Amino acid sequence: MILDEWKRLYSNTKTNFREVAIKGFWNMYDPEGYSLWFCDYKYQDENTVSFVTMNKVGGFLQRMDLARKYAFGKMLVIGSQPPFKVKGLWLFRGTEIPKFVLDECYDMELYEWTKVDISDENQKERVNQMIEDAEPFEGEPLLDAKCFK
């Protein structure tokens, strides 16, 4: 998998997103060289003000800049009423989250990280929905969706 090719496909797909970008992602994905991870913010009850929650996610993405060559991520802020939920999907080079990311980006410990089981069709579909900003997501509207590429 060439990460920059995926990022270009994601950025340049304007129509038929699921048919072009999502299908292209799974054609490119190399489970021996990359890994997919779901993240859930551990302190969802704190997310009571929308702009503060969105700024928290924006700050996390800025601090992840050190991983730009090794990662792609989607962060969703979910809900129309507080507390807002923060969930994400990350693609990392390697079969684990890179150690330098865990060591250098202190926000990582604020999230519960779960490796995606790509043999599970439900998890695969959740990956698809997160990549394409599907709405509603898990029954709730999206307040914001940010991409790290």
Side-chain angles (χ1 to χ4, degrees), residues 117-136:
D117 176 2
I118 61 168
S119 66
D120 180 336
E121 286 302 316
N122 291 331
Q123 289 189 36
K124 228 173 148 174
E125 179 56 26
R126 187 172 188 237
V127 168
N128 296 346
Q129 290 174 359
M130 292 181 94
I131 291 174
E132 71 176 334
D133 304 334
E135 193 169 13

Side-chain angles (χ1 to χ4, degrees), residues 96-124:
E96 297 297 324
I97 298 172
K99 184 173 178 357
F100 76 92
V101 175
L102 295 170
D103 291 345
E104 298 295 325
C105 184
Y106 68 85
D107 296 62
M108 295 293 285
E109 66 189 35
L110 301 175
Y111 292 87
E112 189 69 42
W113 293 89
T114 308
K115 194 170 191 178
V116 176
D117 176 2
I118 61 168
S119 66
D120 180 336
E121 286 302 316
N122 291 331
Q123 289 189 36
K124 228 173 148 174

Side-chain angles (χ1 to χ4, degrees), residues 28-45:
M28 291 179 191
Y29 182 65
D30 170 18
E32 293 177 13
Y34 286 82
S35 55
L36 284 164
W37 296 82
F38 294 126
C39 67
D40 289 301
Y41 190 67
K42 291 179 181 177
Y43 310 101
Q44 304 284 18
D45 290 341

Side-chain angles (χ1 to χ4, degrees), residues 49-120:
V49 180
S50 60
F51 77 89
V52 173
T53 304
M54 291 186 289
N55 287 349
K56 191 183 301 183
V57 171
F60 172 53
L61 295 179
Q62 285 179 337
R63 288 181 285 282
M64 284 294 287
D65 195 58
L66 64 124
R68 194 159 304 278
K69 293 180 183 177
Y70 309 98
F72 171 86
K74 288 299 295 259
M75 294 297 293
L76 307 179
V77 180
I78 304 160
S80 56
Q81 305 277 343
F84 303 101
K85 295 181 186 118
V86 175
K87 298 182 181 205
L89 169 73
W90 287 84
L91 171 70
F92 290 109
R93 186 178 297 166
T95 56
E96 297 297 324
I97 298 172
K99 184 173 178 357
F100 76 92
V101 175
L102 295 170
D103 291 345
E104 298 295 325
C105 184
Y106 68 85
D107 296 62
M108 295 293 285
E109 66 189 35
L110 301 175
Y111 292 87
E112 189 69 42
W113 293 89
T114 308
K115 194 170 191 178
V116 176
D117 176 2
I118 61 168
S119 66
D120 180 336

